Amino acid sequence: MAEGRASVGPDVSTHGRPAVLGAGGAEMGEPMRGLGVSPGVVLAPVAWLGEPVRPPADEPPARDVEVALQEVRAALDAVASDLAARAGAASGAAKDVLSATAAIARDPALVDSVRTRLEGGAGPGRALDEAFGGFASLLAAAGGYLAERVSDLYDVRDRALAVLLGVPMPGVPETDGPVVLVASDLSPADTAGLDPTRIVGLVTSGGGPTSHTAILAKSLGIPAVVACPDAWRLNEGEIVLLDGGTGLVTRQPDKAAATRAAQRASIWRGLVTTTSGPGRSADGHPVRLLVNLATMTDIEHAVALDCEGVGLFRTEFLFLDRPDAPTEEEQQRTYTRLLRAFTDRSVTVRTLDAGADKPLPFLAHGDEPNPALGMRGLRLARRHPDLLDTQLAALARAATTGPTRLRVMAPMVATAEEARDFIDRARAHGLDEAGVMVEIPAAALRAEQICAEVDFLSIGTNDLSQYTFAADRMTGELAGLLDPWQPALLDLIAAVGLAGGRSGTPVGVCGEAAGDPLLACALVGLGVTSLSMAPGVLPIVRAALSRHGLATCQAMAIAARAASTPTAARAAALELAHPDLVAALQA
Ligand code: PEP
Ligand code: MG
């Protein structure tokens, strides 16, 4: 489930934390610092995500096979009973999944396989681990539905290992009340079912501003701090004050700090509940406020949102985890549902952004030493033009079924020539509003030439940061370079905004930067005309914008660009911000 997650702290065997806190009295009052990636303030007890469990590397062979087998059986039984009890309390799909998973834990073939391994000289942990590994390979080789069950198998393995070894259960813990979830990092599987009424804050030591945790937290509206290297100091159950705007995490805050936090939360609520409707600055300058969507469920939830449409519909989910490409009809059905959900609003669909970093099982991607720099995004269409054409044809057909304004855009465009080629293809399919994403510094530097080819630009700040700073967006250690307040990133956005303004080409931002309420104002000052973000942060961005005139936004942009560090850039913009926003954002 969570292979590949970085572990933190000095002692992995205690789940990334020392068993006893070091002599750090002074550290108690000092807030920990990380990157605030989803704004909001919460006060709640800590609950640790159970780390993945592995058998001990130095586990000796079982002394008595029958005794060891009995222990493994008991662990599997305990897991099966727990899962069955949870299935009994659940309904719908969750009930089915939990029941099926409980049945895995009761499979006698597993116990037979464990016995063989124990007799072969393995200890109980390794025997259990290897038995599951053998079954997982069989399922994976079978493909299709069976291959999809491999993650369920691993889930049972991890739980049974935890019981066997007497360590905490992996995954999101069951809790009685609201908690701040703390982890080294969160995998998509960990976050799939997060309940925002129970998990009211997130802190990770790894991750970056564009990591999975950040994107998910924003979309659920859960305040979050990532890249917080001291997170391992946090103890289960201790109260923390988390500020997802400033990135500060205060342990056991005193009464005064807790009161200030409550006041800030109430100012925040006041801001978001008194503003609604289309985005505009205090002096009426319109800025379209849009949402980013990436799944069918997102579409269902977004219909009721107070927003002006979709600024980024990521289409990868239609292509990933399947043995063949979706047909034109299949795609058309999804796009039609999307367009119907947003009648009278606009929808911007991004064509497939896959590559060796997000591989498609039905395409041979080849070995690329640097997948992020390889055949990714629009470049994939050089090798597989049919893939892009089918997608554009499906979009064009969906567009004829209703009045929604459809815009299409291509990811990973580097040159004006690539932009022209994409626009020509889109037009050939009858798609008359077409644009490109600016995610590569070369495209930002030549924005003027690209503007001459397209109907609009959308800046993908996540990738633009990664390529500008040569810093992998998934590497938590490099998160500081990926801070969207980096003045060099702002310089590139300014170049695009200027080119857009001169040519009358709309320029949006659809990377995570658009969801930071203060930065959103500075982006408007840089010439950005629309902002597309996770639904959870749109209300505070709208409120922030409504408190500032265009001239203030421009002054913020100038001040931020004049700074030499991201922290100074943010501070310079904050100095010019409306007192309400300052009160909501500042610790
Ligand atoms: C971006 O790069 O900013 C972007 C919006 O695209 P993605 O995060 O899907 O790469
Ligand atoms: Mg991108």
Side-chain angles (χ1 to χ4, degrees):
M1 175 168 83
E3 274 90 352
R5 281 187 289 183
S7 64
V8 281
D11 183 357
V12 179
S13 67
T14 51
H15 300 268
R17 288 160 288 151
V20 180
L21 261 189
E27 289 148 2
M28 237 15 159
E30 285 282 309
M32 297 174 174
R33 204 168 267 285
L35 261 184
V37 290
S38 179
V41 184
V42 286
L43 185 72
V46 162
W48 271 87
L49 180 86
E51 295 284 329
V53 185
R54 306 301 308 137
D58 52 358
E59 190 183 42
R63 255 189 281 157
D64 181 329
V65 169
E66 289 310 321
V67 171
L69 194 62
Q70 210 38 50
E71 287 169 7
V72 172
R73 248 200 215 111
L76 286 167
D77 274 353
V79 170
S81 306
D82 172 50
L83 290 168
R86 282 165 55 198
S91 59
K95 187 184 191 73
D96 297 345
V97 170
L98 287 166
S99 307
T101 320
I104 295 176
R106 293 216 159 97
D107 190 334
L110 257 176
V111 179
D112 289 347
S113 172
V114 172
R115 175 190 285 281
T116 311
R117 287 171 160 84
L118 288 170
E119 286 167 354
R126 187 156 65 84
L128 181 69
D129 187 52
E130 288 181 1
F132 272 98
F135 277 79
S137 315
L138 289 177
L139 287 188
Y145 173 79
L146 288 177
E148 286 166 24
R149 301 274 67 81
V150 169
S151 58
D152 298 343
L153 202 61
Y154 283 143
D155 187 36
V156 176
R157 175 200 64 186
D158 292 349
R159 287 171 176 279
L161 270 174
V163 175
L164 186 69
L165 303 174
V167 298
M169 276 292 169
V172 178
E174 303 288 318
T175 58
D176 293 335
V179 291
V180 169
L181 184 66
V182 184
S184 53
D185 206 354
L186 293 169
S187 70
D190 295 328
T191 50
L194 276 194
D195 171 2
T197 60
R198 212 161 55 79
I199 308 297
V200 294
L202 291 171
V203 181
T204 62
S205 52
T210 62
S211 63
H212 184 78
T213 306
I215 292 173
L216 183 107
K218 252 188 254 176
S219 98
L220 293 173
I222 303 177
V225 173
V226 301
C228 178
D230 283 337
W232 62 271
R233 291 181 186 282
L234 295 171
N235 287 324
E236 185 81 21
E238 83 172 295
I239 302 289
V240 287
L241 175 62
L242 175 155
D243 185 336
T246 58
L248 295 179
V249 180
T250 310
R251 303 174 65 187
Q252 300 168 25
D254 57 25
K255 207 161 168 225
T259 309
R260 278 199 308 278
Q263 281 163 351
R264 286 174 58 203
S266 130
I267 294 169
W268 184 284
R269 269 194 305 279
L271 277 171
V272 300
T273 50
T274 51
T275 333
S276 60
R280 52 191 67 247
S281 64
D283 51 351
H285 175 71
V287 179
R288 282 157 40 77
L289 298 181
L290 310 159
V291 291
N292 293 350
L293 307 180
T295 64
M296 244 13 244
T297 322
D298 282 357
I299 297 176
E300 280 143 28
H301 289 164
V303 181
L305 292 173
D306 179 7
C307 69
E308 290 162 76
V310 181
L312 168 63
F313 183 67
R314 293 179 165 105
T315 54
E316 289 71 64
F317 79 96
L318 284 165
F319 295 79
L320 296 171
D321 298 329
R322 48 180 298 153
D324 45 16
T327 62
E328 187 179 316
E329 288 67 33
E330 208 177 334
Q331 291 190 56
Q332 186 201 338
R333 278 198 294 278
T334 303
Y335 302 145
T336 303
R337 269 173 83 175
L338 170 69
L339 295 179
R340 289 215 175 116
F342 287 90
T343 308
D344 300 328
R345 296 184 269 182
S346 73
V347 170
T348 304
V349 175
R350 177 179 75 186
T351 57
L352 178 65
D353 185 11
D357 57 338
K358 291 181 222 162
L360 301 179
F362 49 90
L363 295 184
H365 290 283
D367 252 356
E368 289 188 8
N370 263 317
L373 303 181
M375 296 302 284
R376 192 198 140 177
L378 182 64
R379 299 166 183 186
L380 208 60
R382 297 182 194 190
R383 281 194 194 152
H384 305 282
D386 48 313
L387 216 53
L388 178 59
D389 278 323
T390 305
Q391 191 170 24
L392 292 174
L395 283 163
R397 278 175 58 189
T400 60
T401 58
T404 313
R405 178 175 158 204
L406 171 65
R407 308 157 98 215
V408 293
M409 66 181 180
M412 288 291 288
V413 169
T415 66
E417 198 183 356
E418 285 180 357
R420 182 167 50 243
D421 181 58
F422 175 75
I423 305 298
D424 287 349
R425 277 164 180 263
R427 300 227 198 288
H429 284 277
L431 292 160
D432 46 22
E433 214 176 331
V436 299
M437 290 185 73
V438 177
E439 313 187 85
I440 300 177
L445 293 169
R446 303 293 283 186
E448 207 172 308
Q449 285 74 10
I450 296 181
C451 280
E453 307 293 344
V454 301
D455 297 315
F456 65 93
L457 293 177
S458 184
I459 307 177
T461 44
N462 307 343
D463 276 316
L464 188 57
S465 294
Q466 146 161 285
Y467 296 124
T468 302
F469 290 90
D472 188 324
R473 59 193 265 191
M474 294 315 196
T475 304
E477 263 181 285
L478 300 176
L481 290 173
L482 297 164
D483 188 325
W485 285 96
Q486 278 286 0
L489 179 72
L490 300 179
D491 285 351
L492 286 175
I493 298 171
V496 183
L498 192 66
R502 280 194 185 136
S503 58
T505 310
V507 172
V509 170
C510 64
E512 297 310 302
D516 173 331
L518 183 63
L519 183 52
C521 297
L523 292 174
V524 169
L526 292 173
V528 165
T529 57
S530 68
L531 297 162
S532 190
M533 65 207 83
V537 285
L538 194 141
I540 189 68
V541 169
R542 172 172 29 229
L545 199 58
S546 74
R547 299 295 194 281
H548 300 92
L550 183 58
T552 307
C553 293
Q554 286 163 341
M556 283 181 179
I558 291 169
R561 284 182 67 198
S564 51
T565 67
T567 310
R570 184 177 186 276
L574 197 63
E575 272 199 14
L576 300 169
H578 187 282
D580 287 353
L581 189 64
V582 176
L585 295 179
Q586 214 170 23

Coordinates of all heavy atoms in Angstrom, one line a residue, residues 312 314 350 353 358 376 437 439 459-464 473 510-512, ligand 1:
L312 N -9.6 23.2 -15.2 CA -8.7 22.1 -15.6 C -9.4 20.8 -15.3 O -9.7 20.5 -14.1 CB -7.4 22.2 -14.7 CG -6.5 20.9 -14.8 CD1 -5.9 20.7 -16.2 CD2 -5.3 21.1 -13.8
R314 N -8.5 17.1 -15.6 CA -7.4 16.2 -15.9 C -8.1 14.9 -16.4 O -8.9 14.3 -15.7 CB -6.6 15.9 -14.7 CG -5.8 17.1 -14.1 CD -5.1 16.7 -12.9 NE -4.1 17.7 -12.5 CZ -4.2 18.6 -11.5 NH1 -5.3 18.6 -10.8 NH2 -3.2 19.4 -11.2
R350 N -8.2 19.2 -20.4 CA -6.8 19.0 -20.8 C -6.6 17.6 -21.5 O -7.1 16.7 -20.9 CB -5.9 19.1 -19.6 CG -4.4 18.9 -20.0 CD -3.5 19.0 -18.8 NE -3.6 17.8 -17.9 CZ -3.0 17.8 -16.8 NH1 -2.2 18.8 -16.3 NH2 -3.1 16.7 -16.0
D353 N -2.3 13.7 -20.3 CA -0.9 14.0 -19.8 C -0.3 12.8 -19.2 O -0.1 12.7 -18.0 CB -1.0 15.2 -18.8 CG 0.4 15.7 -18.4 OD1 1.4 15.3 -19.0 OD2 0.5 16.5 -17.4
K358 N 3.7 8.6 -15.6 CA 2.4 8.0 -15.4 C 2.1 7.1 -16.5 O 1.4 7.4 -17.5 CB 1.3 9.2 -15.5 CG 1.4 10.2 -14.4 CD 0.2 11.2 -14.6 CE 0.7 12.6 -14.3 NZ -0.1 13.6 -14.8
R376 N 6.4 12.8 -22.6 CA 5.3 13.1 -21.7 C 4.3 14.1 -22.3 O 4.7 14.9 -23.1 CB 5.9 13.6 -20.4 CG 5.0 13.7 -19.3 CD 5.5 14.6 -18.2 NE 4.3 15.3 -17.7 CZ 4.3 16.1 -16.7 NH1 5.4 16.4 -16.1 NH2 3.2 16.7 -16.3
M437 N -1.1 24.7 -22.2 CA -0.6 25.0 -20.9 C 0.9 25.5 -21.0 O 1.6 25.1 -21.8 CB -0.6 23.7 -20.0 CG -2.0 23.3 -19.7 SD -2.0 21.9 -18.6 CE -1.5 22.7 -17.0
E439 N 4.0 25.2 -19.0 CA 4.6 24.5 -17.9 C 6.1 24.3 -18.0 O 6.7 23.7 -17.2 CB 4.0 23.0 -17.8 CG 2.5 23.0 -17.9 CD 1.9 21.6 -17.7 OE1 1.7 21.2 -16.5 OE2 1.7 20.9 -18.7
I459 N -1.4 28.6 -17.1 CA -0.1 28.3 -16.5 C -0.2 27.2 -15.5 O -0.9 27.3 -14.5 CB 0.5 29.6 -15.9 CG1 0.5 30.7 -16.8 CG2 1.9 29.3 -15.4 CD1 1.0 32.0 -16.2
G460 N 0.6 26.1 -15.8 CA 0.6 25.0 -14.8 C 1.8 25.2 -13.9 O 3.0 24.8 -14.2
T461 N 1.6 25.9 -12.8 CA 2.7 26.3 -11.9 C 3.4 25.1 -11.3 O 4.6 25.2 -10.9 CB 2.2 27.3 -10.8 OG1 1.0 26.8 -10.3 CG2 2.0 28.7 -11.4
N462 N 2.7 24.0 -11.2 CA 3.3 22.8 -10.5 C 4.5 22.4 -11.4 O 5.6 22.2 -10.9 CB 2.3 21.6 -10.4 CG 1.1 22.0 -9.7 OD1 1.0 23.0 -9.1 ND2 0.0 21.2 -9.9
D463 N 4.3 22.1 -12.7 CA 5.4 21.7 -13.5 C 6.3 22.9 -13.8 O 7.5 22.7 -14.0 CB 4.8 21.1 -14.8 CG 4.5 19.6 -14.6 OD1 5.3 18.9 -14.0 OD2 3.4 19.2 -15.0
L464 N 5.7 24.1 -14.0 CA 6.6 25.2 -14.3 C 7.7 25.4 -13.2 O 8.9 25.6 -13.5 CB 5.8 26.5 -14.5 CG 6.6 27.7 -15.0 CD1 7.3 27.4 -16.3 CD2 5.7 28.9 -15.2
R473 N 9.1 17.5 -8.5 CA 8.0 18.0 -7.7 C 7.6 17.0 -6.6 O 6.8 17.4 -5.7 CB 6.8 18.4 -8.5 CG 6.3 17.3 -9.4 CD 5.3 17.9 -10.4 NE 3.9 17.8 -10.0 CZ 2.9 18.0 -10.8 NH1 3.1 18.3 -12.1 NH2 1.6 17.9 -10.3
C510 N -3.6 27.3 -13.4 CA -4.4 26.2 -12.9 C -3.5 25.3 -12.0 O -3.9 24.2 -11.6 CB -5.0 25.4 -14.1 SG -3.7 24.6 -15.2
G511 N -2.3 25.7 -11.7 CA -1.5 24.9 -10.8 C -1.9 25.2 -9.3 O -2.8 26.1 -9.1
E512 N -1.3 24.6 -8.4 CA -1.7 24.8 -7.0 C -1.5 26.2 -6.5 O -2.2 26.6 -5.5 CB -0.9 23.8 -6.1 CG -1.1 22.3 -6.4 CD -2.6 22.0 -6.4 OE1 -3.3 22.2 -5.4 OE2 -3.1 21.5 -7.4
Ligands
PEP1 C1 0.6 21.9 -13.3 O1 1.6 21.3 -13.7 O2 0.6 22.9 -12.7 C2 -0.7 21.3 -13.6 C3 -1.8 21.9 -13.3 O3 -0.7 20.0 -14.2 P1 -0.5 18.7 -13.3 O4 -0.4 19.1 -11.9 O5 -1.6 17.8 -13.6 O6 0.8 18.2 -13.9

